[in-house]
Each structure stands twice: as structure tokens, then as C-alpha cells.
């Protein structure tokens, strides 16, 4: 089967985003399906339109999308962290355009929170999968059918070795909107007189997210003592590495939803004092962590795309190679993300008083 994949995140220098993209390519390839049309993150975006039918009409005027749609049998949207608080609705509109033309429609790997659409618009697809309990409960209250799975990152092919963080307590980077909360707590921990020397920063978006660097992220974190993160994929990476983690509250319910999905006494904290306390007590929660790690390990065989059945248009190796070619064909998108990362590093430097690290030529080129 020929498939269009929308909101593919592989052009972002973000470990989780590139891992999710790798996972989708592998899962589709193993089923024998070929991604013959790929729209990367932010390529399907419509600003200044409120009515859903107007979004649909705008998608129908998108010549590139409509031409690609004619050549495929199924459209998959990666909902990864996009469809919440009124954002990402153009992706839902794209699926409805596809559905009206008789294509199989799949909305997968979703966070869904405060989506201002009629429930029937979300209930219309052949497959809707959400990645945590909060989104699943939200869909249930709306009467929308969905499947709850783990994030697609669990199905990525991680490899490599990592020892530079051996024995360290690791904090990950965070988004600008989390500067006052997770950011402030993380910075205070890194600068504390007693714990600071044993704390290291792991940049999920940027330093570790290069095209050939991200597969080593799990091995790197496996050597750490513990991980603290407000990033959804930061928590997943720690879990896949079997390293105890402390969740710092973010701006959506995905962190809480992940902890509920994993079960057990896993900490979600606000502020510096609570963070220190939770990190000091990770040993007391070892049984809960081990159970969570086992659940993640058992979840790696995701079935996002089984509803498409089996085909003979491709295979896993071919789809991984196709993904790489598609990314390399869009240096403009990779460079745009690199500029966003540089802007964020400058924001962090201004906020923390730290001097930004100069990016090498390869980092500027590939993120």
C-alpha cells in the first residue's frame, strides 16, 4: 500500500522526534507499505482560519497535498504533541479531505487535550490512537473511539554506546514556556553547591538530536544515576534506558498521563525542593521503576498500522533508507529547525546568564 505520512518530525534536531519518525518508517516497512508522500512538521499548517470547513477548503486548495493524495491509498497523521489547546487542527482537516476521497485515515501517536471540534470529527477515522491515559479518558468523555498505546518512540531502533554521563544526575532541556517552572528548578539544581557538580545537562532538542547522533541517547542515559525532565520524550528515554526519572510538570497533561499509563508510585513534582526530595528518594521507588521499565520494554511491538493489513510495496530497510533520503532532500527544514534551536539557546543564555556554546559547521548544517 502507498501511504502519505503527515507531520513527520524527522527534520527536527530532537531525539524524540527523530526516534518517532524512525519508528513509523520501520513499522510501516515491516508491514510492506511504502511512504510515497511525506509532509514534515509544520508543512501542513493553516493560520488565521477558525471554522473547520474553512480548514478543509484550504487543504483542498493545497496543490501539493492534493496531487500527492491522488497517488496514495492511505493517509497517516502523526499527532505527536500537536493537537491540543486549539492547535494542529489543519492535520485533522487533512485527514477529512482524505476520508472524503475514500482513503484509509489514521491519526496516531496522539496527545489530545482541549480540541475545539465536534466529537464526530475525531470519531470518523479508521484508527485513532492516543499515547496516554489522560487523552484516552478525554476521548471517552466525548464518546470517541480510540486505542491507547505508548508513544511511538518505544519502537525506534536505538543503538550505540554512551558513558559521558556515567554516574551523573541528569536534567534535560525544557521549552521556553517551562522556564519559570521546570527551567528554574533545573537551573537551581545544576547550580547548587552540594549537588551541582554531579548534575549534567542533556539536550533532547539540539545537541543529541543530530541525524546520526540520536540513536545513542538511550545508551547515554543508561549510565546516569537519575534523570529529571519536563519533556515527554525525556521521560521516555530515561525509561527505555532503565534509569530512574523524576517528571517536572509541563504545560499539558502528557507527563501525568504517561506516569498513570506506567502505573506505580512515580513522582511528578513542582519546584526545586520537591525535585531534590524526589531525586533523593529514587532508590526507595526502585520496585515501581522496575515495573515501569518492564512495561515499556514489553510495549515495543506497537501495532499502530495493523489496520492497513499487509502489503508488498516495501520493507523495513527500504523505508528507513527512504526516510533518510526525504530528510536529506529538505535541508531548508533542517536549517529552519537549527535556527530555532540557536534562538532557544540564546534565550536560555539570556535567561540563565550563561554564555551560549558556539555551534560547529556540522551542527549548523544538520541541527
Amino acid at each position: 500500500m502507498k501511504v502519505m505520512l503527515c507531520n513527520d518530525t524527522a527534520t527536527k534536531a530532537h531525539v524524540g522526534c527523530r526516534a518517532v519518525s524512525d519508528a513509523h518508517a520501520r513499522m510501516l516497512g515491516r508491514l510492506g507499505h511504502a511512504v510515497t508522500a511525506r509532509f514534515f512538521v509544520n508543512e501542513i499548517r493553516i493560520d488565521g482560519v477558525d471554522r473547520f470547513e474553512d480548514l478543509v477548503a484550504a487543504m483542498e486548495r493545497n496543490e501539493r497535498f492534493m496531487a500527492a493524495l491522488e497517488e496514495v491509498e492511505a493517509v497517516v497523521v502523526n499527532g505527536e504533541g500537536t493537537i491540543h489547546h486549539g492547535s494542529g487542527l489543519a492535520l485533522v482537516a487533512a485527514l477529512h479531505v482524505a476520508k472524503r476521497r475514500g482513503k484509509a485515515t489514521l491519526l496516531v501517536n496522539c496527545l489530545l487535550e482541549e480540541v475545539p471540534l465536534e466529537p464526530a470529527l475525531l470519531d470518523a477515522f479508521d484508527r485513532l490512537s492516543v499515547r496516554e491515559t489522560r487523552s484516552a479518558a478525554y476521548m471517552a468523555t466525548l464518546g470517541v473511539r480510540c486505542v491507547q498505546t505508548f508513544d511511538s518512540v518505544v519502537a525506534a531502533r536505538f543503538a550505540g554506546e554512551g558513558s559521558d554521563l556515567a554516574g551523573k544526575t541528569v536534567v534535560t532541556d525544557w521549552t521556553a514556556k517551562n522556564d519559570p517552572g521546570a527551567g528554574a528548578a533545573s537551573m537551581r539544581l545544576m547550580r547548587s553547591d552540594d549537588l551541582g557538580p554531579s548534575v549534567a545537562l542533556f539536550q533532547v532538542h539540539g545537541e543529541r538530536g543530530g541525524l546520526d547522533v540520536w540513536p545513542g541517547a538511550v545508551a547515554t542515559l543508561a549510565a546516569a544515576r537519575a534523570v529529571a525532565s519536563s519533556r515527554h520524550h525525556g521521560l521516555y528515554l530515561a525509561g527505555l534506558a532503565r534509569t530512574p526519572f523524576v517528571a517536572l510538570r509541563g504545560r499539558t497533561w502528557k507527563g501525568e498521563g504517561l506516569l498513570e499509563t506506567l502505573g506505580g508510585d512515580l513522582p511528578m513534582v513542582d519546584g526545586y525542593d520537591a525535585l531534590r526530595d524526589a531525586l533523593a528518594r529514587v532508590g526507595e521507588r526502585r520496585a515501581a521503576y522496575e515495573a515501569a521499565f518492564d512495561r515499556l520494554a514489553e510495549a515495543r511491538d506497537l501495532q499502530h498500522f495493523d489496520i492497513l493489513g499487509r502489503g508488498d510495496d516495501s520493507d523495513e530497510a527500504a523505508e528507513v533508507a527512504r526516510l533518510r533520503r526525504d530528510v536529506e532532500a529538505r535541508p531548508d527544514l533542517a536549517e529552519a529547525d537549527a535556527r530555532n534551536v540557536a534562538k532557544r539557546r540564546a534565550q536560555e543564555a539570556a535567561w540563565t546568564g550563561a554564555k551560549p556554546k558556539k555551534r560547529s559547521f556540522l551542527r549548523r548544517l544538520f541541527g
Side-chain angles (χ1 to χ4, degrees):
M1 184 177 290
K2 294 179 176 60
V3 175
M4 177 194 293
L5 180 56
C6 302
N7 202 38
D8 190 302
T9 52
T11 53
K12 297 184 71 174
H14 184 294
V15 174
C17 289
R18 285 201 157 134
V20 164
S21 186
D22 175 82
H24 289 163
R26 292 183 185 280
M27 286 189 280
L28 285 164
R30 283 198 294 269
L31 289 171
H33 305 309
V35 179
T36 57
R38 180 176 266 113
F39 288 80
F40 289 106
V41 63
N42 289 330
E43 286 199 286
I44 295 180
R45 178 175 175 174
I46 303 168
D47 296 320
V49 178
D50 296 325
R51 292 180 63 251
F52 186 73
E53 282 301 320
D54 292 339
L55 287 171
V56 170
M59 287 307 309
E60 290 177 328
R61 293 192 298 270
N62 185 320
E63 294 181 1
R64 180 187 164 207
F65 176 80
M66 296 305 293
L69 186 61
E70 291 298 316
E71 304 299 322
V72 302
E73 300 156 90
V75 176
V76 174
V77 165
N78 169 35
E80 180 183 343
T82 305
I83 306 171
H84 62 87
H85 298 93
S87 66
L89 301 186
L91 294 168
V92 180
L95 281 176
H96 276 276
V97 172
K99 182 176 177 61
R100 293 175 184 183
R101 285 155 180 77
K103 313 296 182 179
T105 51
L106 292 78
L107 177 55
V108 303
N109 197 42
C110 286
L111 160 74
L112 296 171
E113 182 177 357
E114 293 189 24
V115 183
L117 294 175
E118 291 296 321
L121 293 172
L122 295 172
D123 198 43
F125 307 129
D126 296 294
R127 170 63 54 85
L128 171 60
S129 68
V130 298
R131 57 190 190 176
E132 33 71 32
T133 58
R134 297 288 177 100
S135 294
Y138 177 40
M139 290 298 98
T141 65
L142 299 178
V144 175
R145 298 163 297 127
C146 71
V147 176
Q148 182 185 324
T149 72
F150 282 100
D151 190 286
S152 299
V153 71
V154 302
R157 182 72 60 84
F158 290 99
E161 298 180 356
S163 59
D164 54 331
L165 301 180
K168 294 277 190 178
T169 295
V170 172
V171 296
T172 73
D173 57 341
W174 55 90
T175 63
K177 290 186 178 180
N178 285 329
D179 277 346
S186 299
M187 287 303 306
R188 190 172 170 188
L189 186 72
M190 285 188 284
R191 292 176 172 178
S192 63
D193 291 336
D194 54 345
L195 296 181
S198 63
V199 176
L201 175 66
F202 181 98
Q203 290 178 341
V204 174
H205 193 179
E207 296 296 319
R208 304 283 176 174
L211 190 58
D212 296 309
V213 179
W214 71 262
V218 169
T220 297
L221 291 180
R225 172 188 170 270
V227 175
S229 183
S230 60
R231 286 196 179 274
H232 184 70
H233 285 134
L235 302 176
Y236 263 100
L237 293 169
L240 293 171
R242 303 190 74 90
T243 298
F245 55 84
V246 174
L248 286 156
R249 199 175 307 280
R251 66 188 186 95
T252 68
W253 60 35
K254 58 190 174 185
E256 290 91 336
L258 171 59
L259 297 188
E260 291 169 2
T261 302
L262 290 172
D265 180 25
L266 302 176
M268 166 74 71
V269 303
D270 294 286
Y272 173 68
D273 292 334
L275 174 59
R276 281 187 64 111
D277 180 66
L279 287 170
R281 295 179 58 201
V282 292
E284 300 172 22
R285 293 188 169 101
R286 194 70 212 187
Y289 282 120
E290 290 296 334
F293 300 156
D294 289 344
R295 289 203 67 188
L296 284 177
E298 293 165 1
R300 293 190 179 190
D301 185 22
L302 294 178
Q303 302 297 318
H304 282 341
F305 310 117
D306 60 339
I307 198 169
L308 297 177
R310 292 194 170 273
D312 55 8
D313 289 292
S314 193
D315 58 38
E316 182 175 351
E319 287 310 297
V320 171
R322 189 196 305 269
L323 170 62
R324 188 180 187 95
R325 290 195 302 273
D326 288 350
V327 172
E328 291 175 340
R330 297 302 306 272
D332 57 318
L333 297 179
E335 182 56 33
D337 183 68
R339 289 194 297 270
N340 288 335
V341 172
K343 179 180 178 181
R344 176 58 185 151
R345 295 291 97 90
Q347 289 175 333
E348 291 168 345
W351 185 67
T352 64
K355 185 178 180 180
K357 182 180 178 181
K358 186 176 180 181
R359 296 169 64 245
S360 69
F361 171 77
L362 290 177
R363 290 292 184 206
R364 294 196 301 273
L365 187 61
F366 294 110

